[in-house]
Amino acid sequence: MAKLIILLTGMPGSGKSIIAEVARTMGIEVLSMGDVVREEVSKRKLQPTPENILRIAIELRKVHGLDIIARRIAEKLAKIEADVVLIDGVRGLYEVKVFEKYGKCIILAIHSSPKTRYERLKKRNRPGDPKTWDEFVNRDLTELDLGIGNVIALADYVVVNEGSIEELKHSVTALFREVLRKYESTCRSRDKTNRE
Amino acid sequence: MAKLIILLTGMPGSGKSIIAEVARTMGIEVLSMGDVVREEVSKRKLQPTPENILRIAIELRKVHGLDIIARRIAEKLAKIEADVVLIDGVRGLYEVKVFEKYGKCIILAIHSSPKTRYERLKKRNRPGDPKTWDEFVNRDLTELDLGIGNVIALADYVVVNEGSIEELKHSVTALFREVLRKYESTCRSRDKTNRE
């Protein structure tokens, strides 16, 4: 049976990491596109600030092709035994194409309004997080240049995250249950067909 | 008080026209980007098929600039007395920029999964609607090339439309009520400040 690959996408501050956390709690293996970039940032002995991460993410794509990060994740994906994997931080349809070779892909987008995301990022205040509205808008535009809007537009599921973290966890848990149930019932019906 | 301009965006088959219908019922003036293109199609004595409409939409943008349709809508917008206007069919951030000169803009995106949209369009079966999955995907990609994904990604509100038309109408009515209430309370507090 082909792997189920859940491709998670969303703008900065929309709440992707909470979804990844819910996935882990439910026993879903998580691979993070950001980790691949962070590995590269650390290899180059740079500080892992969001600015450096975004810069290296763009540079890697320029030098090795737009889908380089997806290809590096795909190497890990091929070695993993888990049936269901969530890939955190998909940014372009050219990445979706790479993952489609490794299993049945579904796109999950998380959305919050720019206003909400800005307020969250300001509160989070990690080094490198945007401090002004202009910085925030510029970072958004850099993400959009990578094609993230196209992935969001073609998502199979969109979760709107304007409420509390608890509400988000609750609705995402329900969503994952539904997705896993569908996947498992497909597996069972294929097993049955194979036995017959 | 500046106009409130609700910019409606969404992929083909996501349910934009139902939102426009709800807006009209609630007394919100609706201007359709599609109507501008349809006027042009009719001027050129072509059939108003979705294919011709999309072709002319692209051609107009090529010849007169990406924001030509927004500029033509803006001419109408400037003549309208209504405080609240919904613009149906925004496809790029370059259009949002045009509208921002005419009032306070909020972006409303409607989302349905590709599978749902494909099934709806096949059921709808208007002349020119995609008949195969490949045709559907190609039309989606043309829309994305115009930049619609960027507008969706930066939406202030996202409505997910995977259920019945009644459910959609219900949630959109509630959303418009909230948006109008916020706008009116801003108007009132400004009026008060002006009087003081």
Side-chain angles (χ1 to χ4, degrees):
Chain A
M1 181 64 191
K3 269 187 177 32
L4 176 66
I5 308 171
I6 304 168
L7 306 175
L8 176 60
T9 190
M11 298 293 285
S14 55
K16 290 189 293 297
S17 56
I18 295 165
I19 295 196
E21 189 191 318
V22 172
R24 275 189 209 97
T25 321
M26 294 178 75
I28 298 171
E29 190 115 11
V30 175
L31 293 175
S32 152
M33 307 276 289
D35 282 350
V36 169
V37 188
R38 270 184 285 272
E39 281 163 20
E40 188 70 27
V41 167
S42 126
K43 241 193 248 172
R44 299 186 188 194
K45 309 215 183 313
L46 294 167
Q47 287 298 311
T49 62
E51 269 165 349
N52 280 335
I53 288 168
L54 189 60
R55 192 168 59 79
I56 297 299
I58 292 168
E59 203 182 304
L60 275 174
R61 284 174 166 97
K62 254 191 203 151
V63 176
H64 303 282
L66 269 178
D67 60 357
I68 175 64
I69 297 164
R71 283 188 279 122
R72 292 206 182 159
I73 289 274
E75 288 167 19
K76 299 182 186 212
L77 195 58
K79 288 178 202 154
I80 279 180
E81 285 206 6
D83 288 336
V84 185
V85 181
L86 179 132
I87 295 174
D88 178 10
V90 175
R91 277 176 168 138
L93 293 176
Y94 46 89
E95 295 175 333
V96 176
K97 247 187 200 163
V98 172
F99 296 126
E100 279 172 344
K101 291 179 206 146
Y102 293 84
K104 156 101 185 118
C105 290
I106 55 175
I107 301 173
L108 167 59
I110 177 160
H111 180 92
S112 306
S113 71
K115 192 171 163 269
T116 303
R117 293 189 292 106
Y118 178 59
E119 278 162 13
R120 270 187 212 140
L121 290 174
K122 265 187 59 169
K123 230 185 204 166
R124 183 169 85 174
N125 199 24
R126 280 192 208 151
D129 271 346
K131 275 169 199 56
T132 65
W133 178 255
D134 282 355
E135 264 179 63
F136 168 77
V137 168
N138 282 333
R139 193 168 154 208
D140 267 12
L141 293 178
T142 312
E143 296 275 346
L144 292 175
D145 277 347
L146 289 173
I148 198 169
N150 299 347
V151 188
I152 295 172
L154 296 187
D156 298 295
Y157 298 92
V158 171
V159 174
V160 174
N161 176 24
E162 294 291 340
S164 69
I165 293 182
E166 283 62 41
E167 280 171 295
L168 175 62
K169 284 185 177 173
H170 186 79
S171 62
V172 171
T173 304
L175 174 63
F176 280 148
R177 271 196 200 129
E178 185 201 324
V179 165
L180 293 177
R181 196 187 46 73
K182 270 192 195 165
Y183 173 69
E184 278 156 17
S185 81
T186 318
C187 292
R188 268 198 302 278
S189 66
R190 292 213 187 160
D191 279 356
K192 209 179 145 211
T193 318
N194 290 343
R195 278 200 308 273
E196 278 165 6
Chain B
M1 181 66 191
K3 269 188 178 33
L4 176 66
I5 307 171
I6 304 168
L7 305 175
L8 175 61
T9 190
M11 297 291 287
S14 55
K16 290 190 294 298
S17 57
I18 295 164
I19 295 195
E21 190 191 318
V22 171
R24 274 187 210 99
T25 321
M26 293 178 76
I28 298 171
E29 189 114 10
V30 175
L31 293 176
S32 153
M33 307 275 290
D35 282 350
V36 169
V37 187
R38 271 183 283 272
E39 282 164 19
E40 188 71 28
V41 167
S42 124
K43 241 194 246 171
R44 299 184 188 195
K45 310 216 182 312
L46 294 166
Q47 287 298 311
T49 63
E51 271 164 348
N52 280 337
I53 288 168
L54 189 59
R55 192 168 58 79
I56 296 300
I58 293 168
E59 203 181 302
L60 275 175
R61 284 174 167 97
K62 256 190 201 151
V63 177
H64 302 283
L66 269 178
D67 60 357
I68 175 65
I69 297 163
R71 283 188 279 121
R72 290 206 184 159
I73 288 274
E75 289 168 18
K76 298 182 187 208
L77 195 57
K79 288 177 202 154
I80 279 180
E81 286 207 5
D83 289 334
V84 185
V85 181
L86 180 133
I87 295 175
D88 178 9
V90 175
R91 278 177 168 137
L93 293 176
Y94 46 88
E95 294 174 334
V96 175
K97 246 187 202 163
V98 172
F99 296 126
E100 278 172 344
K101 290 179 207 145
Y102 294 84
K104 156 102 184 117
C105 290
I106 55 176
I107 301 173
L108 167 59
I110 178 161
H111 181 91
S112 307
S113 72
K115 193 169 163 270
T116 302
R117 292 189 291 107
Y118 178 58
E119 278 161 13
R120 268 186 214 143
L121 290 174
K122 265 186 61 169
K123 227 183 205 168
R124 182 169 85 175
N125 197 25
R126 281 191 207 152
D129 271 345
K131 276 172 197 53
T132 65
W133 178 254
D134 282 355
E135 264 180 61
F136 168 75
V137 168
N138 282 333
R139 194 171 152 204
D140 266 11
L141 294 178
T142 312
E143 297 274 347
L144 292 175
D145 277 347
L146 289 173
I148 197 168
N150 299 347
V151 189
I152 295 172
L154 297 186
D156 298 294
Y157 298 92
V158 171
V159 174
V160 174
N161 177 24
E162 293 291 339
S164 68
I165 293 182
E166 283 63 39
E167 280 171 293
L168 175 63
K169 284 185 176 174
H170 186 79
S171 61
V172 171
T173 304
L175 173 63
F176 280 148
R177 271 196 201 130
E178 185 201 326
V179 166
L180 293 176
R181 195 187 45 74
K182 270 191 196 164
Y183 173 70
E184 280 156 17
S185 81
T186 318
C187 292
R188 268 198 303 277
S189 67
R190 293 212 187 161
D191 278 358
K192 210 179 145 210
T193 319
N194 290 343
R195 278 200 308 274
E196 276 163 9

